[in-house]
Amino acid sequence: MPSDIEHYQTIPVGPLGIVALDSCREMGKVVDSYISSWRRERQHEHASNIAFAGYEKDSYLIDACTPRFGSGEAKGIISESVRGKDLYILVDVLNYSITYTVCGQVNHKSPDDHFQDLKRIIAAASGKARRINVIMPFLYESRQDKRGGRESLDCAIALQELTQMGVENIITFDVHNQCVQNAIPLKGLETVRASYQYVKALLKTDEDIIIDKDHMMIISPDVGGMQRAVYFANVLGLDVGLFYKRRDYSRIVDGRNPILEHEFLGSSVEGKDVFIIDDMISSGDSMLDVATELKNRHARRIYMASTFGLFTNGLAKFDRAYEQGVFHKILTTNLIYQTPELLQKPYYVNVDMYKYISIIIDRLNHDSSMSSLLDPVDRIHRVLGKHKQALSEIE
């Protein structure tokens, strides 16, 4: 149970309700289990107060679905009352494992399909919920966040659509560009990072790892991710390095300008463990190029970490690179769909985020502060202190 009980002394906004869409069924079950367990154990003097009616339940999951017609059209159905509830809708727009049939042909759900299903469930609530919150780990269309020429601003439009339908809070993780918050300045858009969970997973993966500036270094694979790398470096007390992607802007290949060369800016990585941090691994070409460059500079163990592991071109190239010793481990979260193949890889480390999401929902239901969750410096320092003490006892 979360130790900071002071966050849960306020009256809940409303009875808690969780809708886990098809893309987030597993996440929804785990989150529901955590919250119901915590609330059974939580003791407070107002338990019998009418404001806490329905506070302690075996399950907060609400039965909802988005069935399809044979033509591929769909509708949203909520099978129980949501009147007065503080509603949390969980959706993974990148879960391509979900399929549906169109005129006898099997289609995999795209991000567009998942986003439409989300809107259908919001519409099915028909304005009866006291508050609607959306937990969308990968923000829909977040890479289309700015306009270059005659282009659509898909992310901004999507955010405005949701808030116009009545959504009060949108919780997302490691958004590609935080400036998208400007699209809905009067509504809640919280972007959370998995910094603490990365550190915990890293320390469990290799117990002999030494986190100080003489033995480890943080690397940003591009200029855009430098703020993320600097945050890690400051919290962990490490040096930071940067790779600059020199692209060919005269042509477009597979929707992007091809990278001509990675140029490194930073001190020597020789003999050091290296932690490469980015928001997502898409095809993986860029991350593997950076890892290869670092290995050529005689880095020791190379950890590649990303909030979202998309692996859009499969895992074969990662298998080859691992066999060649290019990298040591890959760390990504379970915020989006993970293939069974990925989970079985010897180099893969799954960074579990379900408990973190449970705490976020539990706190928001009490309308409590999120500050300590959004900036987990104290928790990171505590776990680092325990690790250093364990290392000193071994020595």
Side-chain angles (χ1 to χ4, degrees):
M1 186 171 82
S3 57
D4 46 355
I5 193 66
E6 68 274 7
H7 288 286
Y8 307 100
Q9 295 300 316
T10 56
I11 295 174
V13 173
L16 177 61
I18 300 173
V19 175
L21 297 184
D22 287 344
S23 57
C24 282
R25 292 295 186 200
E26 181 184 354
M27 181 191 294
K29 290 178 182 177
V30 177
V31 167
D32 180 56
S33 176
Y34 272 124
I35 297 177
S36 60
S37 174
W38 293 336
R39 293 191 171 187
R40 279 195 302 269
E41 298 171 9
R42 193 172 293 153
Q43 300 293 326
H44 56 87
E45 58 184 3
H46 305 293
S48 60
N49 191 296
I50 191 172
F52 283 81
Y55 184 77
E56 184 181 316
K57 296 175 65 177
D58 291 333
S59 176
Y60 303 92
L61 288 173
I62 291 174
D63 185 19
C65 60
T66 53
R68 297 263 170 175
F69 299 101
S71 62
E73 298 167 290
K75 62 181 177 180
I77 301 174
I78 299 177
S79 302
E80 56 189 276
S81 174
V82 295
R83 185 177 294 276
K85 289 188 181 294
D86 188 24
L87 204 59
Y88 293 81
I89 308 175
L90 279 59
V91 59
D92 172 14
V93 298
L94 295 183
N95 191 342
Y96 60 88
S97 70
I98 309 296
T99 60
Y100 64 95
T101 303
V102 180
C103 299
Q105 304 297 316
V106 176
N107 276 8
H108 288 263
K109 280 191 177 181
S110 69
D112 293 341
D113 291 316
H114 288 299
F115 186 68
Q116 289 300 120
D117 284 346
L118 168 64
K119 293 196 294 182
R120 290 178 178 112
I121 292 300
I122 295 171
S126 303
K128 302 301 189 295
R130 179 164 299 176
R131 187 175 68 173
I132 297 178
N133 313 272
V134 171
I135 311 289
M136 185 187 295
F138 185 92
L139 186 61
Y140 175 71
E141 289 289 355
S142 57
R143 283 189 282 185
Q144 187 53 30
D145 58 324
K146 56 188 177 182
R147 175 170 285 159
R150 292 186 178 90
E151 293 182 355
S152 57
L153 285 171
D154 296 61
C155 189
I157 292 172
L159 291 173
Q160 291 179 359
E161 273 189 286
L162 293 179
T163 55
Q164 288 166 9
M165 293 183 74
V167 174
E168 286 294 326
N169 295 301
I170 301 170
I171 309 299
T172 189
F173 286 78
D174 211 354
V175 71
H176 193 64
N177 184 351
Q178 294 198 28
C179 290
V180 297
Q181 293 173 322
N182 296 335
I184 49 170
L186 300 181
K187 298 294 182 179
L189 175 58
E190 301 290 353
T191 175
V192 188
R193 286 181 177 167
S195 311
Y196 173 63
Q197 286 74 16
Y198 278 139
V199 174
K200 282 183 63 179
L202 187 63
L203 297 180
K204 287 182 180 179
T205 300
D206 290 307
E207 296 181 354
D208 64 333
I209 194 167
I210 301 175
I211 300 182
D212 63 35
K213 63 181 181 180
D214 295 324
H215 297 88
M216 194 173 191
M217 192 169 179
I218 300 292
I219 300 293
S220 174
D222 54 36
V223 176
M226 195 59 184
Q227 183 183 8
R228 187 182 300 105
V230 167
Y231 175 84
F232 263 95
N234 286 338
V235 172
L236 300 178
L238 306 177
D239 286 336
V240 64
L242 164 69
F243 275 90
Y244 171 70
K245 296 177 182 177
R246 191 162 61 83
R247 295 180 179 271
D248 182 0
Y249 289 100
S250 65
R251 58 197 181 100
I252 296 177
V253 178
D254 295 330
R256 59 181 181 174
N257 302 106
I259 299 170
L260 298 177
E261 186 180 7
H262 288 88
E263 298 180 1
F264 181 63
L265 302 174
S267 59
S268 173
V269 298
E270 185 172 355
K272 294 181 180 179
D273 290 332
V274 173
F275 192 74
I276 311 171
I277 181 70
D278 205 358
D279 60 336
M280 71 180 74
I281 296 175
S282 186
S283 66
D285 292 339
S286 178
M287 191 72 91
L288 288 174
D289 287 345
V290 166
T292 301
E293 290 291 331
L294 291 169
K295 208 64 182 177
N296 291 338
R297 288 172 167 79
H298 308 293
R300 186 172 174 242
R301 291 179 296 194
I302 295 179
Y303 300 87
M304 301 192 299
S306 173
T307 306
F308 305 108
L310 281 62
F311 304 105
T312 54
N313 291 347
L315 298 170
K317 67 180 72 175
F318 292 94
D319 293 341
R320 289 193 298 270
Y322 178 69
E323 291 169 1
Q324 295 166 4
V326 172
F327 68 91
H328 180 58
K329 296 290 183 182
I330 294 178
L331 298 84
T332 72
T333 70
N334 58 353
L335 291 169
I336 62 172
Y337 172 67
Q338 300 160 297
T339 64
E341 180 190 6
L342 174 65
L343 294 172
Q344 294 173 1
K345 295 298 181 183
Y347 53 77
Y348 181 67
V349 178
N350 179 27
V351 180
D352 184 22
M353 298 295 293
Y354 291 171
K355 185 176 182 180
Y356 197 28
I357 291 176
S358 306
I359 297 172
I360 289 172
I361 292 175
D362 203 18
R363 278 203 192 176
L364 282 177
N365 182 233
H366 279 266
D367 223 8
S368 189
S369 173
M370 292 269 291
S371 300
S372 61
L373 292 178
L374 299 177
D375 190 12
V377 174
D378 291 339
R379 286 181 291 149
I380 292 174
H381 285 168
R382 282 199 299 269
V383 75
L384 283 178
K386 292 179 181 178
H387 177 70
K388 290 178 181 178
Q389 183 179 354
L391 285 179
S392 63
E393 290 174 356
I394 293 174
E395 293 174 355

